[in-house]
Amino acid sequence: PFDNEKVRQAVALAIDRATIRDIAYAGTGELGKIEMPTGSPWYDDEGIFAAEQDVEKAKALLAEAGYADGLTVEYLGLPQYPELLKTGQVLREQLKAIGIDMTINPVDVSVWYDAFVNSTYQITSAYQERSIDPDNFYSLVIKTGGPVNTVKYSNPEVDALIDEAAALVDMDARKEIYRKIRAIVTEDAPLVFAHYETVNY
C-alpha cells in the first residue's frame, strides 16, 4: 500500500512525535521533524509536510487512496533495540485512529537488516546518523540509487536539486535549495522523521 503517496502522507499525518519521545525515549531528546537537529546551522522546518499531527486529514487521505475501510500492514520490529520497538508500539496505536491495523513482527537484527537493505519490508523504524551536512543525508538516503536509499524513493526533480546544492559552496544558497528539497520530500513522505536522540559525551 505504501506505493501510494496518499497512504504515506496519511501515516505521516497520523504520527504524534511527542508521544513517541515520551514513551519510547523516556521524554529525552527532541521531536524529529527534519534530518537535522535544532542545534544545527542547517535546521529549517519552514514549509515541511506533516509537522503536526492531523488525524482527520490522515483519514481523508486514506479514503482517497481507496482504503476507506482501512488496511493491514506489518511493522518489522527490533527487540534488540527497545526504543525502536516501542516506537512501533506507539505508532501501532496512532495508526489505529485512522483505520490502519499494524501488526508487529519482532525479528532478530540480522533478519531485520536483510529486509531493510533489500527493501523487503512494509514499515519499520531505523536510525540515521547522517546529520553533519544535509548532503550526507540526501545524497545517500533520498537520491535515486543512493547507497542507503532503502525506501527506493526516486524523484528526478529532487535528484537535480540534490546535485545543485552539493555543487555550491555558499551556505545561504544551499539552505534555500534544501528548503525546496524538504518541501518535496516531506510531502512525498517516503520516510517520516520522528525523534532526534540527544547523546552526551
Side-chain angles (χ1 to χ4, degrees):
F2 297 112
D3 288 345
N4 189 316
E5 180 187 65
K6 290 181 179 179
V7 174
R8 301 193 304 270
Q9 290 174 337
V11 169
L13 286 164
I15 291 175
D16 175 15
R17 295 173 176 88
T19 304
I20 290 173
R21 177 198 58 200
D22 294 345
I23 294 177
Y25 293 89
T28 64
E30 61 181 50
L31 308 186
K33 295 185 178 181
I34 67 167
E35 79 286 352
M36 295 286 158
T38 56
S40 168
W42 294 102
Y43 185 80
D44 178 8
D45 64 1
E46 182 181 321
I48 65 169
F49 179 82
E52 304 294 336
Q53 184 185 44
D54 190 334
V55 171
E56 292 310 309
K57 188 174 179 181
K59 285 180 180 176
L61 282 167
L62 206 60
E64 288 175 28
Y67 297 102
D69 296 327
L71 75 156
T72 300
V73 298
E74 181 186 82
Y75 175 94
L76 215 54
L78 273 170
Q80 296 92 335
Y81 292 85
E83 61 283 358
L84 292 182
L85 188 60
K86 285 181 184 176
T87 296
Q89 292 166 344
V90 173
L91 183 59
R92 177 178 58 193
E93 298 308 307
Q94 293 174 350
L95 293 183
K96 277 182 184 176
I98 67 167
I100 295 179
D101 179 21
M102 188 179 88
T103 60
I104 296 178
N105 180 15
V107 295
D108 182 77
V109 67
S110 61
V111 175
W112 178 90
Y113 182 77
D114 184 64
F116 186 66
V117 299
N118 290 297
S119 307
T120 55
Y121 63 94
Q122 285 189 308
I123 186 169
T124 191
S125 297
Y127 282 119
Q128 294 288 350
E129 58 280 315
R130 295 163 183 85
S131 56
I132 300 299
D133 183 286
D135 187 63
N136 293 115
F137 178 80
Y138 287 108
S139 284
L140 299 176
V141 181
I142 293 298
K143 190 175 179 182
T144 302
V148 201
N149 186 348
T150 64
V151 293
K152 299 300 182 193
Y153 178 71
S154 180
N155 184 322
E157 181 185 1
V158 170
D159 291 346
L161 288 168
I162 291 171
D163 289 341
E164 183 182 350
L168 296 174
V169 293
D170 182 83
M171 189 166 179
D172 289 335
R174 292 184 73 212
K175 277 184 175 180
E176 189 58 39
I177 295 172
Y178 286 122
R179 183 176 293 152
K180 293 177 184 177
I181 292 171
R182 288 186 191 104
I184 297 168
V185 173
T186 56
E187 188 165 350
D188 285 347
L191 49 78
V192 181
F193 299 102
H195 178 265
Y196 219 100
E197 191 172 38
T198 304
V199 181
N200 297 317
Y201 292 90

